[in-house]
Structures are given as structure tokens and as C-alpha cells.
Coordinates of all heavy atoms in Angstrom, one line a residue:
A1 N -25.1 -12.1 17.0 CA -23.8 -12.8 16.8 C -22.7 -11.9 17.2 O -22.6 -10.7 16.7 CB -23.7 -13.2 15.4
A2 N -21.8 -12.4 18.0 CA -20.6 -11.6 18.4 C -19.5 -11.7 17.3 O -19.3 -12.7 16.7 CB -20.1 -12.1 19.7
T3 N -18.9 -10.5 17.1 CA -17.8 -10.6 16.1 C -16.5 -10.7 16.9 O -16.4 -10.1 18.0 CB -17.8 -9.3 15.2 OG1 -17.6 -8.2 16.1 CG2 -19.0 -9.2 14.4
T4 N -15.5 -11.3 16.3 CA -14.2 -11.4 17.0 C -13.3 -10.5 16.3 O -13.3 -10.3 15.1 CB -13.7 -12.9 16.9 OG1 -13.6 -13.3 15.5 CG2 -14.6 -13.8 17.7
E5 N -12.4 -9.9 17.1 CA -11.4 -9.0 16.6 C -10.3 -9.9 16.0 O -9.9 -10.9 16.6 CB -10.9 -8.1 17.7 CG -11.9 -7.1 18.2 CD -12.2 -6.1 17.2 OE1 -11.3 -5.6 16.5 OE2 -13.4 -5.7 17.1
P6 N -9.6 -9.4 14.9 CA -8.5 -10.2 14.4 C -7.3 -10.1 15.5 O -7.2 -9.1 16.1 CB -8.1 -9.5 13.1 CG -8.9 -8.2 13.1 CD -10.0 -8.3 14.1
T7 N -6.6 -11.2 15.6 CA -5.5 -11.2 16.6 C -4.2 -11.0 15.9 O -4.0 -11.5 14.8 CB -5.5 -12.4 17.4 OG1 -5.4 -13.6 16.6 CG2 -6.8 -12.6 18.3
L8 N -3.3 -10.3 16.5 CA -2.0 -10.2 15.9 C -1.1 -11.2 16.6 O -1.2 -11.5 17.8 CB -1.4 -8.7 16.2 CG -2.2 -7.6 15.5 CD1 -1.7 -6.3 15.9 CD2 -2.2 -7.8 14.0
T9 N -0.1 -11.6 15.9 CA 0.9 -12.5 16.5 C 1.9 -11.7 17.3 O 2.5 -10.7 16.9 CB 1.7 -13.2 15.3 OG1 0.8 -13.9 14.5 CG2 2.7 -14.2 15.9
T10 N 1.9 -12.1 18.6 CA 2.9 -11.5 19.5 C 4.2 -12.1 19.4 O 4.3 -13.2 18.9 CB 2.4 -11.6 21.0 OG1 2.3 -13.0 21.3 CG2 1.0 -11.0 21.1
P11 N 5.3 -11.4 19.9 CA 6.6 -12.1 19.8 C 6.6 -13.4 20.5 O 7.3 -14.3 20.1 CB 7.5 -11.1 20.5 CG 6.8 -9.7 20.3 CD 5.4 -10.1 20.3
K12 N 5.8 -13.6 21.6 CA 5.8 -14.9 22.3 C 5.2 -15.9 21.3 O 5.7 -17.0 21.3 CB 4.9 -14.8 23.5 CG 4.8 -16.0 24.3 CD 3.9 -15.8 25.5 CE 3.7 -17.1 26.3 NZ 2.8 -17.0 27.4
D13 N 4.1 -15.6 20.6 CA 3.5 -16.5 19.7 C 4.5 -16.8 18.5 O 4.6 -17.9 18.0 CB 2.2 -15.9 19.1 CG 1.2 -15.8 20.1 OD1 1.2 -16.5 21.1 OD2 0.3 -15.0 19.9
A14 N 5.3 -15.8 18.1 CA 6.2 -16.0 17.0 C 7.3 -17.0 17.3 O 7.7 -17.8 16.5 CB 6.8 -14.7 16.6
K15 N 7.7 -17.1 18.6 CA 8.7 -18.0 19.0 C 8.2 -19.5 19.0 O 8.9 -20.4 18.8 CB 9.2 -17.7 20.4 CG 10.1 -16.5 20.3 CD 10.7 -16.2 21.7 CE 11.5 -14.9 21.6 NZ 12.2 -14.6 22.8
Q16 N 6.8 -19.6 19.1 CA 6.2 -20.9 19.1 C 6.0 -21.4 17.7 O 5.7 -22.6 17.5 CB 4.9 -20.9 19.9 CG 5.1 -20.6 21.3 CD 3.8 -20.4 22.1 OE1 2.7 -20.4 21.5 NE2 3.9 -20.3 23.4
R17 N 6.1 -20.6 16.7 CA 5.9 -21.0 15.3 C 7.0 -21.9 14.9 O 8.2 -21.6 15.0 CB 5.8 -19.7 14.4 CG 5.5 -20.0 13.0 CD 5.5 -18.7 12.2 NE 6.8 -18.5 11.7 CZ 7.1 -17.6 10.7 NH1 6.1 -16.9 10.2 NH2 8.3 -17.5 10.3
S18 N 6.7 -23.0 14.3 CA 7.7 -24.0 13.9 C 8.0 -23.8 12.4 O 7.1 -23.5 11.6 CB 7.2 -25.4 14.0 OG 7.0 -25.7 15.4
P19 N 9.3 -23.8 12.0 CA 9.6 -23.7 10.6 C 9.0 -24.8 9.8 O 9.0 -26.0 10.3 CB 11.2 -23.8 10.6 CG 11.6 -23.7 12.0 CD 10.4 -24.0 12.9
V20 N 8.6 -24.5 8.6 CA 7.9 -25.5 7.8 C 8.8 -25.9 6.7 O 9.0 -27.1 6.4 CB 6.6 -24.9 7.3 CG1 5.9 -25.9 6.3 CG2 5.7 -24.6 8.4
T21 N 9.4 -25.0 6.0 CA 10.2 -25.3 4.8 C 11.7 -25.4 5.2 O 12.1 -24.9 6.2 CB 10.0 -24.2 3.7 OG1 10.5 -23.0 4.2 CG2 8.5 -24.0 3.3
A22 N 12.4 -25.9 4.2 CA 13.9 -26.0 4.4 C 14.5 -24.6 4.6 O 15.4 -24.3 5.4 CB 14.5 -26.7 3.3
A23 N 14.0 -23.6 3.8 CA 14.5 -22.2 3.9 C 14.2 -21.6 5.2 O 15.0 -20.9 5.8 CB 13.8 -21.4 2.7
Q24 N 13.0 -21.9 5.8 CA 12.6 -21.4 7.1 C 13.5 -22.0 8.2 O 13.9 -21.3 9.1 CB 11.2 -21.6 7.4 CG 10.2 -20.8 6.6 CD 8.8 -21.1 6.7 OE1 8.4 -22.3 6.9 NE2 7.9 -20.1 6.7
R25 N 13.8 -23.3 8.1 CA 14.7 -24.0 9.0 C 16.1 -23.4 8.9 O 16.7 -23.1 10.0 CB 14.7 -25.5 8.8 CG 13.5 -26.2 9.3 CD 13.6 -27.7 9.3 NE 13.8 -28.2 7.9 CZ 12.8 -28.5 7.1 NH1 11.5 -28.3 7.5 NH2 13.0 -29.0 5.9
S26 N 16.5 -23.1 7.7 CA 17.9 -22.5 7.5 C 17.9 -21.1 8.1 O 18.9 -20.7 8.7 CB 18.2 -22.5 6.0 OG 19.5 -22.0 5.8
A27 N 16.8 -20.4 7.8 CA 16.8 -19.0 8.4 C 16.8 -19.0 9.9 O 17.5 -18.2 10.5 CB 15.5 -18.3 7.9
E28 N 16.1 -19.9 10.5 CA 16.1 -20.0 11.9 C 17.5 -20.3 12.5 O 17.9 -19.7 13.5 CB 15.1 -21.0 12.4 CG 14.9 -21.1 13.9 CD 13.9 -22.1 14.4 OE1 14.0 -23.3 13.9 OE2 13.1 -21.8 15.2
A29 N 18.1 -21.3 11.9 CA 19.5 -21.6 12.3 C 20.4 -20.4 12.2 O 21.2 -20.2 13.1 CB 20.0 -22.8 11.5
R30 N 20.4 -19.7 11.1 CA 21.2 -18.5 10.9 C 20.9 -17.4 11.9 O 21.8 -16.8 12.4 CB 21.1 -18.0 9.4 CG 21.8 -18.8 8.4 CD 21.6 -18.4 7.0 NE 22.4 -19.0 6.0 CZ 22.3 -20.2 5.6 NH1 21.3 -21.0 6.0 NH2 23.1 -20.7 4.7
F31 N 19.6 -17.3 12.2 CA 19.2 -16.3 13.2 C 19.8 -16.6 14.5 O 20.3 -15.7 15.2 CB 17.7 -16.3 13.3 CG 17.2 -15.3 14.3 CD1 17.2 -13.9 14.1 CD2 16.6 -15.8 15.5 CE1 16.8 -13.1 15.1 CE2 16.1 -14.9 16.5 CZ 16.2 -13.5 16.3
H32 N 19.8 -17.9 15.0 CA 20.4 -18.2 16.3 C 21.9 -18.0 16.2 O 22.5 -17.6 17.2 CB 20.0 -19.6 16.6 CG 18.5 -19.8 17.0 ND1 17.9 -19.2 18.0 CD2 17.5 -20.4 16.3 CE1 16.6 -19.4 18.1 NE2 16.4 -20.2 17.0
L33 N 22.5 -18.4 15.1 CA 24.0 -18.1 15.0 C 24.3 -16.6 15.1 O 25.3 -16.2 15.7 CB 24.5 -18.7 13.7 CG 24.6 -20.3 13.7 CD1 25.0 -20.7 12.3 CD2 25.6 -20.8 14.7
A34 N 23.4 -15.8 14.4 CA 23.6 -14.4 14.4 C 23.5 -13.8 15.9 O 24.3 -13.0 16.3 CB 22.5 -13.7 13.6
Q35 N 22.6 -14.3 16.6 CA 22.4 -13.9 18.0 C 23.7 -14.2 18.8 O 24.2 -13.4 19.6 CB 21.2 -14.5 18.7 CG 19.9 -14.0 18.2 CD 18.7 -14.7 18.8 OE1 18.7 -15.9 18.9 NE2 17.7 -13.9 19.2
K36 N 24.2 -15.4 18.6 CA 25.4 -15.8 19.3 C 26.6 -15.0 18.9 O 27.4 -14.6 19.7 CB 25.7 -17.3 19.1 CG 24.7 -18.2 19.8 CD 25.0 -19.6 19.5 CE 24.0 -20.6 20.2 NZ 24.3 -22.0 19.9
A37 N 26.7 -14.7 17.6 CA 27.9 -13.9 17.1 C 27.8 -12.5 17.6 O 28.9 -12.0 18.0 CB 27.8 -13.9 15.5
I38 N 26.7 -11.9 17.6 CA 26.6 -10.5 18.1 C 26.9 -10.5 19.6 O 27.6 -9.6 20.1 CB 25.2 -9.9 17.8 CG1 25.1 -9.7 16.3 CG2 24.9 -8.6 18.5 CD1 23.7 -9.4 15.8
A39 N 26.4 -11.4 20.3 CA 26.6 -11.5 21.8 C 28.1 -11.7 22.1 O 28.6 -11.2 23.1 CB 25.8 -12.6 22.4
A40 N 28.8 -12.4 21.2 CA 30.3 -12.6 21.3 C 31.1 -11.4 20.8 O 32.3 -11.5 20.9 CB 30.7 -13.9 20.6
G41 N 30.4 -10.4 20.2 CA 31.2 -9.2 19.7 C 31.4 -9.2 18.3 O 32.0 -8.3 17.7
D42 N 31.0 -10.3 17.5 CA 31.2 -10.3 16.1 C 30.0 -9.7 15.4 O 29.2 -10.4 14.8 CB 31.4 -11.7 15.6 CG 31.7 -11.9 14.1 OD1 31.9 -10.8 13.5 OD2 31.7 -13.0 13.6
V43 N 29.9 -8.4 15.5 CA 28.7 -7.7 15.0 C 28.6 -7.9 13.4 O 27.5 -8.1 12.9 CB 28.7 -6.2 15.4 CG1 27.5 -5.5 14.8 CG2 28.7 -6.1 16.9
E44 N 29.7 -7.7 12.7 CA 29.7 -7.8 11.3 C 29.2 -9.2 10.8 O 28.4 -9.3 9.9 CB 31.1 -7.5 10.7 CG 31.1 -7.4 9.2 CD 32.5 -7.0 8.7 OE1 33.1 -6.2 9.3 OE2 32.9 -7.6 7.6
G45 N 29.7 -10.2 11.4 CA 29.3 -11.6 11.1 C 27.8 -11.8 11.5 O 27.1 -12.4 10.7
G46 N 27.4 -11.2 12.6 CA 26.0 -11.4 13.0 C 25.1 -10.7 12.1 O 24.0 -11.2 11.7
L47 N 25.5 -9.5 11.6 CA 24.7 -8.8 10.6 C 24.5 -9.5 9.3 O 23.4 -9.6 8.8 CB 25.3 -7.4 10.3 CG 25.0 -6.3 11.4 CD1 25.8 -5.0 11.0 CD2 23.5 -6.0 11.5
D48 N 25.6 -10.1 8.9 CA 25.5 -11.0 7.6 C 24.5 -12.1 7.8 O 23.7 -12.4 6.9 CB 26.9 -11.5 7.3 CG 27.9 -10.5 6.8 OD1 27.4 -9.4 6.4 OD2 29.1 -10.8 6.8
L49 N 24.6 -12.7 9.0 CA 23.6 -13.8 9.2 C 22.2 -13.4 9.3 O 21.3 -14.0 8.9 CB 24.1 -14.6 10.5 CG 25.3 -15.4 10.4 CD1 25.9 -15.8 11.7 CD2 25.1 -16.7 9.5
L50 N 22.0 -12.2 9.9 CA 20.7 -11.6 10.0 C 20.1 -11.3 8.7 O 18.9 -11.5 8.4 CB 20.6 -10.4 11.0 CG 20.8 -10.7 12.5 CD1 20.9 -9.4 13.2 CD2 19.5 -11.4 13.0
F51 N 21.0 -10.7 7.8 CA 20.5 -10.4 6.5 C 20.1 -11.7 5.7 O 19.1 -11.7 5.0 CB 21.6 -9.7 5.6 CG 21.8 -8.2 5.9 CD1 22.9 -7.7 6.4 CD2 20.7 -7.4 5.6 CE1 23.1 -6.3 6.6 CE2 20.8 -6.0 5.8 CZ 22.0 -5.5 6.3
E52 N 20.9 -12.7 5.9 CA 20.6 -14.0 5.3 C 19.3 -14.6 5.8 O 18.5 -15.1 5.1 CB 21.7 -15.0 5.5 CG 21.6 -16.2 4.7 CD 21.7 -16.1 3.2 OE1 22.1 -15.0 2.7 OE2 21.4 -17.0 2.5
S53 N 19.0 -14.5 7.1 CA 17.8 -14.9 7.7 C 16.6 -14.2 7.1 O 15.6 -14.8 6.8 CB 17.8 -14.7 9.2 OG 18.8 -15.5 9.9
C54 N 16.7 -12.9 6.9 CA 15.6 -12.1 6.4 C 15.4 -12.5 4.9 O 14.3 -12.5 4.4 CB 15.9 -10.6 6.5 SG 15.8 -10.1 8.2
R55 N 16.5 -12.7 4.2 CA 16.4 -13.1 2.8 C 15.7 -14.5 2.6 O 14.8 -14.6 1.7 CB 17.7 -13.2 2.1 CG 17.7 -13.4 0.6 CD 19.1 -13.6 0.0 NE 19.7 -14.9 0.4 CZ 19.3 -16.1 -0.1 NH1 18.4 -16.2 -1.0 NH2 19.9 -17.2 0.3
L56 N 16.0 -15.4 3.5 CA 15.4 -16.7 3.4 C 14.0 -16.8 3.9 O 13.2 -17.6 3.4 CB 16.2 -17.7 4.2 CG 17.6 -18.0 3.7 CD1 18.5 -18.8 4.7 CD2 17.5 -18.9 2.4
D57 N 13.6 -16.0 4.9 CA 12.2 -16.0 5.4 C 11.8 -14.5 5.6 O 11.8 -14.0 6.7 CB 12.2 -16.7 6.7 CG 10.8 -17.0 7.2 OD1 9.8 -16.6 6.5 OD2 10.6 -17.6 8.3
P58 N 11.5 -13.8 4.5 CA 11.2 -12.4 4.6 C 10.0 -12.0 5.4 O 9.9 -10.9 5.8 CB 11.1 -11.9 3.1 CG 10.8 -13.2 2.3 CD 11.4 -14.3 3.1
G59 N 9.1 -12.9 5.6 CA 7.9 -12.6 6.4 C 8.0 -12.7 7.9 O 7.1 -12.5 8.6
H60 N 9.2 -13.2 8.3 CA 9.4 -13.4 9.8 C 9.7 -12.1 10.5 O 10.8 -11.6 10.3 CB 10.4 -14.5 10.0 CG 10.4 -15.1 11.3 ND1 10.8 -14.5 12.4 CD2 10.0 -16.4 11.7 CE1 10.6 -15.3 13.5 NE2 10.1 -16.5 13.0
L61 N 8.8 -11.6 11.3 CA 8.9 -10.3 11.9 C 10.1 -10.3 12.9 O 10.8 -9.3 12.9 CB 7.6 -10.0 12.6 CG 7.6 -8.7 13.3 CD1 7.8 -7.5 12.3 CD2 6.3 -8.5 14.1
E62 N 10.3 -11.3 13.6 CA 11.4 -11.3 14.6 C 12.8 -11.1 14.0 O 13.6 -10.4 14.5 CB 11.4 -12.6 15.4 CG 12.3 -12.7 16.6 CD 12.3 -14.0 17.4 OE1 11.6 -14.9 17.0 OE2 12.9 -14.0 18.4
Y63 N 13.0 -11.7 12.8 CA 14.3 -11.6 12.2 C 14.5 -10.1 11.7 O 15.5 -9.6 11.8 CB 14.4 -12.5 10.9 CG 14.2 -14.0 11.2 CD1 13.9 -14.9 10.2 CD2 14.3 -14.5 12.5 CE1 13.8 -16.2 10.4 CE2 14.1 -15.9 12.7 CZ 13.9 -16.7 11.6 OH 13.7 -18.0 11.9
R64 N 13.4 -9.6 11.1 CA 13.5 -8.2 10.6 C 13.7 -7.2 11.8 O 14.5 -6.3 11.6 CB 12.2 -7.9 9.8 CG 12.1 -8.8 8.6 CD 10.8 -8.5 7.9 NE 10.8 -7.2 7.3 CZ 11.3 -6.9 6.1 NH1 12.0 -7.8 5.5 NH2 11.2 -5.7 5.6
Q65 N 13.0 -7.4 12.9 CA 13.2 -6.6 14.1 C 14.6 -6.6 14.6 O 15.2 -5.6 15.0 CB 12.2 -6.9 15.2 CG 10.8 -6.5 14.8 CD 9.8 -7.0 15.9 OE1 10.0 -8.0 16.5 NE2 8.7 -6.3 16.0
A66 N 15.2 -7.8 14.7 CA 16.5 -8.0 15.2 C 17.5 -7.4 14.2 O 18.5 -6.7 14.7 CB 16.9 -9.5 15.3
L67 N 17.3 -7.5 12.9 CA 18.2 -6.8 12.0 C 18.1 -5.3 12.1 O 19.2 -4.6 12.2 CB 17.8 -7.3 10.5 CG 18.6 -6.6 9.4 CD1 20.1 -6.9 9.6 CD2 18.1 -7.0 8.1
R68 N 16.9 -4.8 12.2 CA 16.7 -3.3 12.3 C 17.5 -2.8 13.6 O 18.1 -1.8 13.6 CB 15.3 -3.0 12.4 CG 14.9 -1.5 12.4 CD 13.4 -1.2 12.4 NE 12.7 -2.0 11.4 CZ 11.8 -2.9 11.7 NH1 11.4 -3.1 13.0 NH2 11.1 -3.6 10.8
E69 N 17.3 -3.6 14.7 CA 17.9 -3.2 16.0 C 19.4 -3.2 15.9 O 20.1 -2.3 16.4 CB 17.4 -4.1 17.1 CG 17.8 -3.6 18.5 CD 17.2 -2.3 18.9 OE1 16.1 -2.0 18.5 OE2 17.9 -1.6 19.7
A70 N 20.0 -4.3 15.3 CA 21.4 -4.4 15.1 C 22.0 -3.3 14.3 O 23.1 -2.7 14.6 CB 21.8 -5.8 14.5
V71 N 21.3 -3.0 13.2 CA 21.8 -1.9 12.3 C 21.8 -0.6 13.1 O 22.7 0.2 13.0 CB 21.0 -1.8 11.0 CG1 21.3 -0.5 10.2 CG2 21.3 -3.0 10.1
K72 N 20.7 -0.3 13.8 CA 20.6 0.9 14.6 C 21.8 1.0 15.6 O 22.4 2.1 15.8 CB 19.3 1.0 15.4 CG 18.2 1.5 14.7 CD 17.0 1.6 15.7 CE 15.7 1.7 15.0 NZ 14.6 1.8 16.0
N73 N 22.1 -0.1 16.2 CA 23.2 -0.1 17.2 C 24.6 0.1 16.6 O 25.4 0.8 17.1 CB 23.3 -1.5 18.0 CG 22.1 -1.6 18.9 OD1 21.5 -0.6 19.3 ND2 21.8 -2.9 19.2
V74 N 24.8 -0.4 15.4 CA 26.0 -0.2 14.6 C 26.1 1.3 14.2 O 27.2 1.9 14.4 CB 26.1 -1.1 13.4 CG1 27.2 -0.6 12.5 CG2 26.3 -2.5 13.8
Q75 N 25.0 1.9 13.8 CA 25.0 3.3 13.4 C 25.2 4.2 14.5 O 25.8 5.3 14.4 CB 23.7 3.6 12.6 CG 23.6 3.0 11.3 CD 22.3 3.2 10.6 OE1 21.3 3.5 11.2 NE2 22.2 2.9 9.3
A76 N 24.7 3.8 15.7 CA 24.8 4.7 16.9 C 26.1 4.6 17.6 O 26.5 5.5 18.3 CB 23.7 4.3 17.9
S77 N 26.9 3.5 17.3 CA 28.2 3.4 18.0 C 29.2 4.2 17.3 O 29.2 4.5 16.1 CB 28.6 1.9 18.0 OG 28.9 1.5 16.7
P78 N 30.1 4.8 18.1 CA 31.2 5.6 17.5 C 32.1 4.8 16.6 O 32.4 3.6 16.9 CB 32.0 6.1 18.7 CG 31.6 5.3 19.9 CD 30.3 4.6 19.5
R79 N 32.4 5.3 15.5 CA 33.2 4.6 14.5 C 34.7 4.7 14.9 O 35.1 5.7 15.3 CB 33.0 5.2 13.1 CG 31.6 5.0 12.6 CD 31.5 5.4 11.2 NE 30.1 5.3 10.8 CZ 29.7 4.4 9.9 NH1 30.5 3.6 9.4 NH2 28.4 4.4 9.6
R80 N 35.3 3.6 14.7 CA 36.8 3.5 15.0 C 37.5 4.1 13.8 O 37.3 3.8 12.7 CB 37.2 2.1 15.2 CG 36.6 1.5 16.4 CD 37.0 0.0 16.6 NE 36.3 -0.5 17.8 CZ 36.4 -1.8 18.1 NH1 37.1 -2.6 17.4 NH2 35.8 -2.3 19.1
R81 N 38.5 4.9 14.1 CA 39.3 5.4 13.1 C 40.6 4.6 12.9 O 41.1 4.1 13.8 CB 39.8 6.9 13.5 CG 38.6 7.8 13.7 CD 38.9 9.1 13.2 NE 37.7 10.0 13.5 CZ 37.0 10.5 12.6 NH1 37.3 10.3 11.3 NH2 36.0 11.3 12.9
R82 N 41.0 4.5 11.7 CA 42.2 3.6 11.4 C 43.4 4.4 11.5 O 43.6 5.5 11.3 CB 42.1 3.1 10.0 CG 41.0 2.1 9.9 CD 40.9 1.5 8.5 NE 39.7 0.7 8.4 CZ 39.5 -0.2 7.5 NH1 40.4 -0.4 6.6 NH2 38.4 -0.9 7.5

């Protein structure tokens, strides 16, 4: 009998996953808004939305990766002095 190796969910597979609960749908909507906000230059607003997405659906890897990447980018950027 052949054994099968466990498969990991790839980012491509993660995008195909449909939200099931209201919290997951809300997290997905906030995630898409966060992406748009960051792309438009509103990094602070985008980070808030990413934090909320992770809070609503903590097991969703794509949200956590996006948050981690956004925080790294903010930390790496030179801070503006007032």
C-alpha cells in the first residue's frame, strides 16, 4: 500500500478557499480594502485593516503574511521627522 504525503496549502490554493463564516467574509473584505489602501499610499489605514483581518480570521496565512510584510516595510522605511 502506498502512503501519501500530507499536502500543504499553497498561496494559489489559499486564494481558492471560500469564506464560510460571517467573520471570514468580513476579514476577506477588510483584507482587500487593506491592499487597496496600501497601494494608494495609506499605509496606516491599510495596517489597521490588516490587523483587523488577522483578528477576525487568525488562521488565514495570507492575511498574516501580508501584515508581516507591511510591518517590515514600515520599519524599513526612513521615518519622517516633524
Side-chain angles (χ1 to χ4, degrees):
T3 59
T4 59
E5 294 292 320
T7 58
L8 298 176
T9 303
T10 63
K12 180 181 175 185
D13 294 337
K15 289 184 180 184
Q16 293 175 354
R17 184 180 90 161
S18 297
V20 177
T21 66
Q24 289 173 325
R25 285 190 294 275
S26 183
E28 182 179 51
R30 283 174 171 77
F31 177 72
H32 291 295
L33 288 173
Q35 289 179 315
K36 289 179 183 179
I38 291 170
D42 182 12
V43 177
E44 186 175 323
L47 282 174
D48 289 341
L49 289 164
L50 286 173
F51 278 119
E52 188 67 14
S53 294
C54 290
R55 187 187 68 77
L56 289 168
D57 191 0
H60 199 286
L61 182 61
E62 186 178 8
Y63 302 164
R64 298 175 67 80
Q65 287 174 333
L67 177 60
R68 187 178 313 118
E69 188 67 30
V71 169
K72 277 186 194 178
N73 290 338
V74 168
Q75 291 173 343
S77 67
R79 296 190 183 247
R80 295 181 183 171
R81 301 214 184 248
R82 293 181 188 199

